[in-house]
Amino acid sequence: MRQDYIDQAKQVLRDNDRGTYTVPTHGLYPFQWNWDSALSALGFAHYDEDRAWTEIETLFDHQWECGMVPHIIFHEYDPGYFPGPEVYATGRPTPTSGLSQPAVAAFAARRMFDRAKDKEMARRRAAALLPKMHAWHEWFYRTRDPEGTGLVAIIHPWESGRDNSVDWDAALERVSTEGVGTFQRRDITHANPAHRPTHAQYERYIKLVQIFRELNWDTSKLHDASPFQVVDPGFNAILIRACADLADLADLLGEPGMATRSRALADRGIAALETLWSDGMGQYLCYDRQVGALIESPTVGGLLPAFAAIPTERAAGISRRIEVLGRSCEYLIPSHDPTAPEYDGLRYWRGPVWLIVNYMIADGLCRAGQTDMVGRIMTDSLRLIDRSGFAEYYDPITAEPCGGAHFTWTAAMVLEILAQEAELA
Ligand code: GLC
């Protein structure tokens, strides 16, 4: 059985491999996505370390001079996707988007380095990536935390990786759609429209892109100009974890100065995360910088901080919160509380389970000693594969497979989860 899953997962990675990068899935997402690549590299690393490093290297080959690493690299033209390179118009030699995504690459690089069988190759390739990853992290703090709070804001829902989460509803509602014009979505020709964001949301996504394009994608100006500025605890936790992992890697690779600077960013971030904790909700919350208030919405973004080295009592709190969520669904971890009125078990980030999120939360809870909960999350993740294959996401009550099929990072996570299970056994 386990071997079956391993073979199938490798097949998914092979089918979506375009040589030096992978597409998340054929059709719906025909380019390279930032955090998809970083997490997918972990899958490759189980059987082809060289290919795994290449995945991350290709991503960083398209880093901007300012340090930003784009959320999509449009390696090859594909008319089946909207918004394509002509909408972003970033003017890059190989077209890219002008937004970024969760900075999980340094976590992946460190994990690959730690596990590498070919240590010499790992050393060489991690050392070359190190300054690039560090520049990206510093870019985030420089451009997205102008007041030095220790936490960065996203300026577009797509940057969070949780595109249509309830977290963004109120802030997105305030984005005017004046002059946005008409456009034709392509996502709903590849996937069931009931599994995807609404048209009203898409209009605002595009409007934000238009605002940034008018500023010629000068990333030093976008934060202040954006009508959408939200501090996402999940996004920050991933960045904090990346800074901490990069600091360790820098120490191991003889870069003590970089290690000190990176560790300072992580420590400051951990302290600042505390301002997002809600006793009432029993989890972290997003903060809307435009209105200066926390966003009271029970999403998985507020559980993801488990991935960073938060205090033990906070990790225990997150574990308790997941336990409660488990009472109203069959499969952990729903991306939105199933008892909340906005919950929608099929619609993308408004309810469905995502294996990458399960993996990151479980990883953090494991470090915090929450082993029972880790076991439940891992078991539920594999039950979903069993029931519904390698889908993009799943209904947490019925296990219905949603979005795209034959999905790269889902397959990579299966390889990861099975390897960890084998280690624990
Ligand atoms: C969707 C997801 C995002 C992911 C992308 C490619 O936009 O919300 O997190 O990176 O698809 O899989």
Side-chain angles (χ1 to χ4, degrees):
M1 191 54 130
R2 292 300 192 243
Q3 190 55 44
D4 265 11
Y5 288 157
I6 293 176
D7 295 343
Q8 286 172 35
K10 285 186 183 172
Q11 190 61 44
V12 172
L13 291 189
R14 250 194 307 278
D15 291 345
N16 292 335
D17 187 355
R18 298 292 176 269
T20 54
Y21 68 96
T22 46
V23 296
T25 187
H26 174 77
L28 183 62
Y29 303 114
F31 313 109
Q32 182 177 24
W33 262 259
N34 186 322
W35 72 324
D36 294 64
S37 267
L39 292 163
S40 302
L42 290 171
F44 279 115
H46 288 288
Y47 61 97
D48 187 346
E49 291 183 2
D50 172 41
R51 180 64 188 80
W53 287 109
T54 302
E55 186 73 24
I56 301 184
E57 287 161 356
T58 305
L59 180 64
F60 279 86
D61 284 347
H62 299 275
Q63 182 169 31
W64 289 17
E65 287 68 24
C66 60
M68 200 269 281
V69 183
H71 101 288
I72 307 174
I73 325 286
F74 300 103
H75 289 282
E76 279 178 21
Y77 182 68
D78 191 312
Y81 181 84
F82 177 86
E86 63 292 345
V87 179
Y88 285 98
T90 54
R92 302 291 304 173
T94 299
T96 73
S97 93
L99 304 168
S100 201
Q101 253 192 336
V104 74
F107 156 77
R110 174 169 181 206
R111 185 141 288 184
M112 279 156 51
F113 181 86
D114 288 347
R115 288 186 189 151
K117 296 201 177 67
D118 190 339
K119 282 285 177 213
E120 182 39 46
M121 176 174 75
R123 229 169 214 288
R124 183 168 42 81
R125 296 176 82 164
L129 281 168
L130 206 58
K132 300 180 186 181
M133 298 189 296
H134 186 55
W136 186 25
H137 300 166
E138 289 198 311
W139 170 84
F140 266 126
Y141 287 108
R142 190 170 68 245
T143 61
R144 303 305 185 77
D145 182 20
E147 294 188 5
T149 64
L151 297 172
V152 302
I154 52 164
I155 56 170
H156 194 297
W158 288 341
E159 292 199 310
S160 70
R162 298 185 294 115
D163 302 14
N164 70 337
S165 168
V166 176
D167 284 341
W168 328 128
D169 284 3
L172 203 56
E173 191 61 38
R174 290 197 313 270
V175 175
S176 147
T177 55
E178 214 185 304
V180 70
T182 53
F183 52 85
Q184 185 156 23
R185 286 172 64 179
R186 301 288 177 179
D187 57 316
I188 42 185
T189 62
H190 299 289
N192 183 342
H195 298 180
R196 300 283 310 170
T198 62
H199 184 69
Q201 284 161 345
Y202 249 82
E203 284 193 309
R204 289 166 174 83
Y205 298 153
I206 299 305
K207 179 66 188 186
L208 286 170
V209 169
Q210 291 170 347
I211 293 172
F212 306 144
R213 187 176 66 198
E214 270 159 33
L215 293 168
N216 293 317
W217 296 104
D218 177 343
T219 66
S220 68
K221 296 191 180 142
L222 304 188
H223 174 277
D224 289 356
S226 180
F228 180 97
Q229 301 167 342
V230 179
V231 178
D232 170 9
F235 189 95
N236 276 278
I238 291 170
L239 180 57
I240 291 166
R241 172 72 183 266
C243 287
D245 282 346
L246 187 137
D248 292 347
L249 209 46
D251 270 333
L252 290 165
L253 294 168
E255 294 282 356
M258 193 190 290
T260 305
R261 288 198 302 281
S262 195
R263 197 160 286 123
L265 292 173
D267 291 347
R268 198 178 55 146
I270 289 285
L273 263 185
E274 198 52 25
T275 60
L276 304 181
W277 176 262
S278 160
D279 273 331
M281 307 271 286
Q283 64 166 83
Y284 294 87
L285 297 177
C286 287
Y287 176 79
D288 189 328
R289 242 182 217 167
Q290 286 279 345
V291 297
L294 290 171
I295 302 170
E296 304 259 326
S297 116
T299 73
V300 81
L303 309 177
L304 261 168
F307 191 47
I310 51 171
T312 336
E313 74 269 20
R314 292 287 177 245
I318 287 178
S319 188
R320 274 196 302 277
R321 176 83 191 117
I322 299 174
E323 169 87 44
V324 171
L325 292 170
R327 292 183 207 142
S328 47
C329 67
E330 276 295 315
Y331 303 89
L332 292 172
I333 305 168
S335 49
H336 198 78
D337 184 337
T339 64
E342 319 83 2
Y343 168 83
D344 182 339
L346 298 176
R347 208 181 280 278
Y348 218 25
W349 290 96
R350 302 177 79 87
V353 182
W354 293 69
L355 254 58
I356 45 139
V357 171
N358 279 7
Y359 170 75
M360 288 186 279
I361 292 177
D363 182 87
L365 290 181
C366 187
R367 187 164 60 173
Q370 297 290 330
T371 41
D372 288 352
M373 184 49 78
V374 172
R376 280 186 63 185
I377 297 171
M378 298 296 198
T379 305
D380 282 5
S381 303
L382 292 178
R383 282 170 63 224
L384 284 168
I385 299 294
D386 217 17
R387 284 282 305 272
S388 304
F390 297 80
E392 186 177 3
Y393 44 95
Y394 307 85
D395 184 306
I397 295 173
T398 65
E400 179 174 336
C402 300
H406 217 60
F407 221 84
T408 302
W409 66 8
T410 305
M413 293 303 100
V414 170
L415 293 173
E416 275 287 285
I417 292 170
L418 290 177
Q420 286 179 1
E421 229 186 32
E423 243 170 62
L424 294 175

